Amino acid sequence: MTLSLFNTEHQPIRLPMIDADVTYYPNFFSPKQSTTLFNTLLKTIEWQQDDITVFGKTYPQPRLTALYANNDIPYSYSNITMIPKPFTKELISIKERIEKVCPTKFTGCLLNLYRNGQDSNGWHADNEKELGKDPIIASISLGEDRWFHFKHKTNKNLKQKILLEHGSLLIMKGKTQEYWLHQIPKTKKKTNPRINLTFRVFLASF
């Protein structure tokens, strides 16, 4: 199923997915706010490109990343271990805005910079041990709209995709990471940069 939400109002939209709890907030930030945040984060975030190992092969990760938090808990995925930098004032402001609609005290944020359509994020679930059981992921999209794909881990007939728009918020919680994978695929379309902020709760012990 495909959800294109250009004509929606500002009300949140619950995605029709079994074994999952996913809600989309279009226009969570106004176009002006979103563009200001995009330009600021593009310049001020300390972006890095790590090598990633998949199926025994190592290559440069097809996007830039950064990790910020209110603690020094490392975060590891795909044989990459990141050490967070302190939250910036912009990240704190975004976090507090999200927490008004999602009653969770987020402690960290993994940011992704997709420079063009060839930058991507392959199929995965955000189920690392640092996130605990049934993690809540709050994802802000800024810049170019990109398609976000879901597929069920055991039922191959269950698929979903949604166009993540400039200034939108996507919240995944409940059993979503246990039963579903997600990705940002490559596209041959000429594509401008996109920044994705994924707010999470990192556990001090696991």
Side-chain angles (χ1 to χ4, degrees):
M1 180 182 293
T2 299
L3 294 181
S4 180
L5 303 171
F6 278 116
N7 297 319
T8 58
E9 299 296 330
H10 291 223
Q11 296 300 314
I13 300 162
R14 179 80 176 272
L15 272 64
M17 298 166 59
I18 67 168
D19 298 331
D21 187 346
V22 182
T23 305
Y24 182 71
Y25 296 75
N27 307 303
F28 187 72
F29 290 105
S30 71
K32 183 177 180 180
Q33 289 173 323
S34 300
T35 299
T36 298
L37 286 171
F38 174 86
N39 290 332
T40 300
L41 295 173
L42 187 64
K43 295 176 182 177
T44 60
I45 292 298
E46 297 183 39
W47 300 104
Q48 63 191 61
Q49 186 174 29
D50 294 299
D51 288 335
I52 189 170
T53 300
V54 179
F55 301 121
K57 294 184 177 181
T58 301
Y59 54 91
Q61 195 166 209
R63 62 190 181 280
L64 304 186
T65 61
L67 182 66
Y68 286 76
N70 61 9
N71 54 58
D72 58 0
I73 299 172
Y75 181 56
S76 300
Y77 67 97
S78 301
N79 295 316
I80 296 172
T81 298
M82 303 182 73
I83 305 298
K85 299 176 176 64
F87 274 139
T88 66
K89 62 180 182 180
E90 290 82 14
L91 294 177
I92 291 174
S93 177
I94 295 169
K95 182 176 87 77
E96 291 175 346
R97 173 77 178 274
I98 294 171
E99 289 170 350
K100 290 180 180 179
V101 300
C102 182
T104 301
K105 291 297 182 182
F106 294 102
T107 62
C109 180
L110 177 64
L111 298 92
N112 296 287
L113 172 58
Y114 299 86
R115 296 159 294 181
N116 53 51
Q118 291 305 295
D119 275 1
S120 62
N121 197 344
W123 288 112
H124 70 284
D126 294 318
N127 58 0
E128 290 78 16
K129 58 186 179 180
E130 293 92 337
L131 302 178
K133 182 177 175 59
D134 299 337
I136 299 176
I137 311 294
S139 175
I140 293 286
S141 295
L142 301 169
E144 184 76 22
D145 298 345
R146 291 289 293 265
W147 285 103
F148 189 76
H149 293 199
F150 288 99
K151 68 177 180 180
H152 199 275
K153 291 182 180 180
T154 59
N155 188 334
K156 295 183 179 180
N157 295 319
L158 296 179
K159 299 178 181 179
Q160 179 74 267
K161 69 177 183 179
I162 182 172
L163 188 66
L164 298 181
E165 301 157 298
H166 184 44
S168 66
L169 167 65
L170 185 78
I171 295 178
M172 298 180 286
K173 57 185 179 178
K175 299 295 184 182
T176 306
Q177 306 305 322
E178 180 177 347
Y179 288 101
W180 291 79
L181 300 173
H182 55 270
Q183 71 162 349
I184 296 283
K186 297 180 185 294
T187 175
K188 295 180 180 179
K189 177 184 174 183
K190 181 176 175 58
T191 303
N192 291 319
R194 169 184 181 258
I195 292 174
N196 170 231
L197 303 87
T198 58
F199 287 88
R200 305 149 184 255
V201 178
F202 295 117
L203 302 182
S205 61
F206 41 84

